[in-house]
Amino acid sequence: MNKLIIYAGLILALFSACVPLKQFQDVKSQGEEDAIVAKQLKNENEDLIVDNNELKAEAKRLKRDVELLTQDTMRLAKSNWTLKKRNKELANEYAELLKRFGGNTTTQSSELLAHVQNLHEELQKREDELLRAERDLASKQQDLIFATEQLANAEKELEARNKRLVELEAILNEKDSAMNALRNSIASALTDFGDDELSVYTKDGKVYVSMEEKLLFQSGSYSVSSAGKSAIQKIGKVLENKTDIYIMVEGHTDNVPYKSTVLLDNWDLSVKRATSVSRIIINNSSVSPNRITAAGRGEFVPIDTANTPEARRKNRRTEIILAPNFDKIFNILNN
């Protein structure tokens, strides 16, 4: 059996204040990757089931062949035993006749001798057939032993993989349930804010809190407004006890060139806005700084690529992205 498990590896990134952007991008794709892994394991299990069924059919065929060969061998052995017994009786009878006639070969004794010789030849032929049958039987028995071992190993492998798949699916379901519960908790904490100010949704197994610029910042500023601070503080409170949740704060701008005596461009502005939001979370909750990554995306990841005021308004946003810990999934795949 040539089809074995092809273990898919996942690259997990832990969030910290100094994690590079590429590392976070790896984590952002994790929701898609774990779904791919689960699907891959399912496909591989289906292939293994097909292989097992083929091995079972082959083992069944070999077992039947062995049974038939065993029957043929027993039949030949019984026939040979009968021939040997009859040959011995005829040989004794022939010896008695020779003794009786004093070595004279009468017509009767000549016919008897010819008959005994024919029996000897038939017996030798039958013994040769028996020997070949015994060799074939021994070979088939070895084939059956090998096929049985293959089948046992395949069933053991299938059982182990099914166990891993069940564990993986359970963790994925648990993670999805936890993230849905987290989304509901955050949404409930932010009921004082309108849909035109922020939105809370799930994507790729993570929770996104997307806040409009008008809720957090004045145009061109990275100082958070009082309303924005209130929203961020409520989010931080929800995250205090969610120690297995990693936090990414992403600043986004539109594509209108930004000029300042302090900051260089939109990219600088988006980074400063991300760090401003991150500091509010840390300073107003027990969330550890090593759970947060602040990243500036500038104008390079727009929601709407249209060159309109409405599109630019959508693109000016700050997103708090909450991702679960994937260590359990990694451990299952790694083992």
Side-chain angles (χ1 to χ4, degrees):
M1 183 184 62
N2 295 324
K3 296 179 180 177
L4 299 175
I5 297 178
I6 304 173
Y7 293 102
L10 295 179
I11 302 174
L12 301 181
L14 297 179
F15 289 75
S16 65
C18 59
V19 175
L21 180 58
K22 183 180 183 303
Q23 189 175 6
F24 176 68
Q25 290 173 331
D26 290 340
V27 176
K28 285 192 69 176
S29 66
Q30 190 67 59
E32 299 173 355
E33 289 180 359
D34 57 31
I36 292 173
V37 170
K39 182 178 180 181
Q40 184 178 18
L41 286 176
K42 288 182 180 179
N43 292 338
E44 289 169 357
N45 272 27
E46 291 174 359
D47 291 340
L48 190 57
I49 289 172
V50 172
D51 290 342
N52 280 14
N53 290 336
E54 292 176 355
L55 284 171
K56 287 180 180 178
E58 178 67 9
K60 184 177 180 180
R61 184 187 66 78
L62 286 170
K63 185 177 180 180
R64 180 59 181 165
D65 288 347
V66 169
E67 290 174 352
L68 293 175
L69 281 170
T70 301
Q71 293 174 5
D72 289 343
T73 303
M74 293 178 64
R75 178 181 56 79
L76 286 171
K78 183 177 181 180
S79 176
N80 279 20
W81 181 83
T82 302
L83 284 172
K84 286 180 179 179
K85 182 180 179 182
R86 180 56 180 161
N87 186 64
K88 184 177 181 180
E89 291 173 352
L90 290 174
N92 290 336
E93 184 179 348
Y94 178 68
E96 183 64 28
L97 287 173
L98 288 178
K99 182 178 180 181
R100 183 183 302 176
F101 291 105
N104 296 325
T105 56
T106 62
T107 301
Q108 183 180 8
S109 63
S110 297
E111 291 176 355
L112 181 59
L113 177 60
H115 185 55
V116 171
Q117 289 175 340
N118 288 337
L119 283 175
H120 272 300
E121 292 175 358
E122 181 65 19
L123 180 61
Q124 184 62 50
K125 179 180 178 182
R126 292 295 183 88
E127 287 180 341
D128 291 341
E129 290 179 358
L130 179 60
L131 183 61
R132 286 195 296 271
E134 288 175 344
R135 284 198 299 262
D136 289 343
L137 178 60
S139 177
K140 289 292 184 179
Q141 286 175 333
Q142 289 298 319
D143 290 343
L144 179 60
I145 291 173
F146 179 72
T148 302
E149 290 176 350
Q150 276 193 314
L151 180 59
N153 292 335
E155 288 178 338
K156 183 178 179 181
E157 178 67 19
L158 179 61
E159 181 181 357
R161 285 177 54 188
N162 277 336
K163 181 180 178 181
R164 293 175 62 215
L165 181 60
V166 169
E167 291 176 354
L168 178 61
E169 289 179 333
I171 291 174
L172 292 178
N173 291 334
E174 179 184 354
K175 183 200 71 174
D176 289 341
S177 298
M179 296 310 289
N180 286 332
L182 177 61
R183 177 185 60 81
N184 293 335
S185 297
I186 291 178
S188 297
L190 299 175
T191 53
D192 293 339
F193 302 91
D195 294 339
D196 61 335
E197 294 178 305
L198 59 80
S199 60
V200 183
Y201 59 94
T202 56
K203 178 182 176 183
D204 297 332
K206 292 175 286 296
V207 174
Y208 284 70
V209 183
S210 183
M211 294 174 286
E212 297 276 343
E213 180 189 52
K214 69 177 183 178
L215 172 63
L216 300 179
F217 307 105
Q218 294 292 325
S219 178
S221 171
Y222 52 87
S223 295
V224 181
S225 66
S226 58
K229 287 180 181 179
S230 175
I232 297 168
Q233 288 171 0
K234 290 180 178 182
I235 295 172
K237 288 299 181 182
V238 174
L239 296 175
E240 278 185 322
N241 297 323
K242 308 294 184 180
T243 56
D244 59 342
I245 298 297
Y246 299 127
I247 307 163
M248 166 64 91
V249 180
E250 283 189 350
H252 297 264
T253 67
D254 59 25
N255 59 356
V256 176
Y258 172 78
K259 294 181 180 181
S260 168
T261 57
V262 178
L263 304 179
L264 295 178
D265 51 22
N266 281 323
W267 211 343
D268 267 4
L269 177 62
S270 65
V271 172
K272 291 293 291 183
R273 287 181 169 181
T275 55
S276 295
V277 172
S278 299
R279 286 193 177 93
I280 293 174
I281 294 176
I282 295 169
N283 294 335
N284 294 274
S285 71
S286 60
V287 173
S288 174
N290 63 11
R291 291 173 53 196
I292 300 181
T293 298
R297 309 302 298 274
E299 69 266 30
F300 305 112
V301 189
I303 294 177
D304 192 336
T305 57
N307 191 23
T308 63
E310 178 62 20
R312 288 192 290 271
R313 181 194 64 77
K314 293 178 183 178
N315 295 332
R316 295 190 300 269
R317 69 199 188 278
T318 300
E319 294 180 336
I320 299 177
I321 305 170
L322 309 174
N325 188 332
F326 293 97
D327 288 347
K328 290 182 179 179
I329 296 174
F330 178 82
N331 289 335
I332 289 178
L333 296 175
N334 193 44
N335 292 330

